[in-house]
Amino acid sequence: QTGLSLVANTAMVWIFFGVIDSRGSEIKFGRVGRHATSLALLVLAVFALGAVFFYASSFYADRNHWYAENARGQGDLREAERSYLGATRFGYGDNPYRRDAAIFFLERAQSLRSEEDLVRGLKLGEAAVKQNPYDAANHFDLSKIYLVVAKATKDPVYNRLAEKEALLSLKYDPSRAATTYNVGWVYFSGKRYELAAKYIETAVAMSPTPNAY
């Protein structure tokens, strides 16, 4: 669709400059016409290369994500790490695999007490939010990452960051019980018990089923 629009706009430019004789059936190229044609072909070539790179990077990311999930399920953490990093290498569009990779490194950091994995998970979580700041799930996961970092570092700054991200996730997805519950849990972790009770009670009222959380 974009390519067709580009061709149509180029044709309009040709007509505007008198390159195409719209009164007859012949296309007459002069000096302006030759330059316009060369420019149009160059633009189309750049567009085509961009499209090829986009689809190739999408395929590469999808394939690596599949490998990562499969390796993770089989307990091969080394292969899962390699494949998750491959899936997040290209920042095309909204790459959802940054969030998955962030959670992988976060869980591994907790199980292995790895500071390196914690930093990786934090960076990927922040990159996911930066890439798509209107995705509630990105803010939801980043708030959980900040909570883990706060617990590991004993730094209250990360508790405040977790609160901020939890509230943003609620802003973009106010109807989800798990999002509301997460805000309550973040406040509970920060020892703000009255606010925690308010949000947790609201979440339970929204969805009494424990599986919702």
Side-chain angles (χ1 to χ4, degrees):
Q1 184 178 358
T2 306
L4 292 175
S5 175
L6 186 61
V7 172
N9 290 335
T10 303
M12 291 177 64
V13 171
W14 285 348
I15 292 173
F16 178 80
F17 283 106
V19 176
I20 297 179
D21 185 357
S22 57
R23 294 170 297 178
S25 59
E26 294 183 359
I27 298 178
K28 300 177 180 178
F29 294 100
R31 179 179 298 177
V32 176
R34 286 193 296 271
H35 288 308
T37 303
S38 299
L39 178 62
L41 290 175
L42 178 61
V43 171
L44 286 174
V46 171
F47 171 80
L49 287 174
V52 169
F53 176 79
F54 173 83
Y55 286 111
S57 61
S58 298
F59 173 78
Y60 179 82
D62 292 343
R63 186 194 65 172
N64 275 278
H65 181 259
W66 184 87
Y67 285 147
E69 293 288 295
N70 189 51
R72 185 180 182 182
Q74 295 178 358
D76 187 349
L77 299 184
R78 186 180 297 276
E79 176 60 26
E81 174 186 347
R82 188 192 68 80
S83 297
Y84 272 125
L85 291 176
T88 60
R89 188 165 295 163
F90 295 102
Y92 67 92
D94 174 26
N95 186 333
Y97 306 141
R98 292 185 190 278
R99 188 169 65 242
D100 291 345
I103 295 301
F104 165 75
F105 283 114
L106 179 67
E107 292 176 351
R108 198 171 73 168
Q110 290 177 292
S111 63
L112 302 180
R113 298 185 180 277
S114 169
E115 183 178 344
E116 181 182 356
D117 283 339
L118 191 62
V119 171
R120 280 182 172 180
L122 177 60
K123 287 183 177 180
L124 285 165
E126 290 177 335
V129 167
K130 185 177 180 181
Q131 190 176 48
N132 189 347
Y134 304 107
D135 188 336
N138 284 341
H139 292 287
F140 180 89
D141 288 336
L142 183 55
S143 70
K144 294 197 290 186
I145 292 172
Y146 279 140
L147 277 184
V148 174
V149 176
K151 184 178 180 180
T153 62
K154 310 298 182 184
D155 189 342
V157 170
Y158 289 106
N159 284 103
R160 291 193 290 271
L161 289 171
E163 290 177 14
K164 175 186 173 184
E165 294 302 323
L167 289 171
L168 282 171
S169 69
L170 185 61
K171 174 183 176 181
Y172 296 123
D173 188 10
S175 61
R176 188 181 174 207
T179 305
T180 306
Y181 183 88
N182 185 55
V183 176
W185 178 250
V186 169
Y187 279 130
F188 182 84
S189 300
K191 299 182 179 181
R192 302 175 69 179
Y193 299 122
E194 290 186 9
L195 281 172
K198 172 187 172 182
Y199 283 97
I200 291 174
E201 288 171 0
T202 301
V204 172
M206 292 169 65
S207 180
T209 306
N211 292 337
Y213 317 114

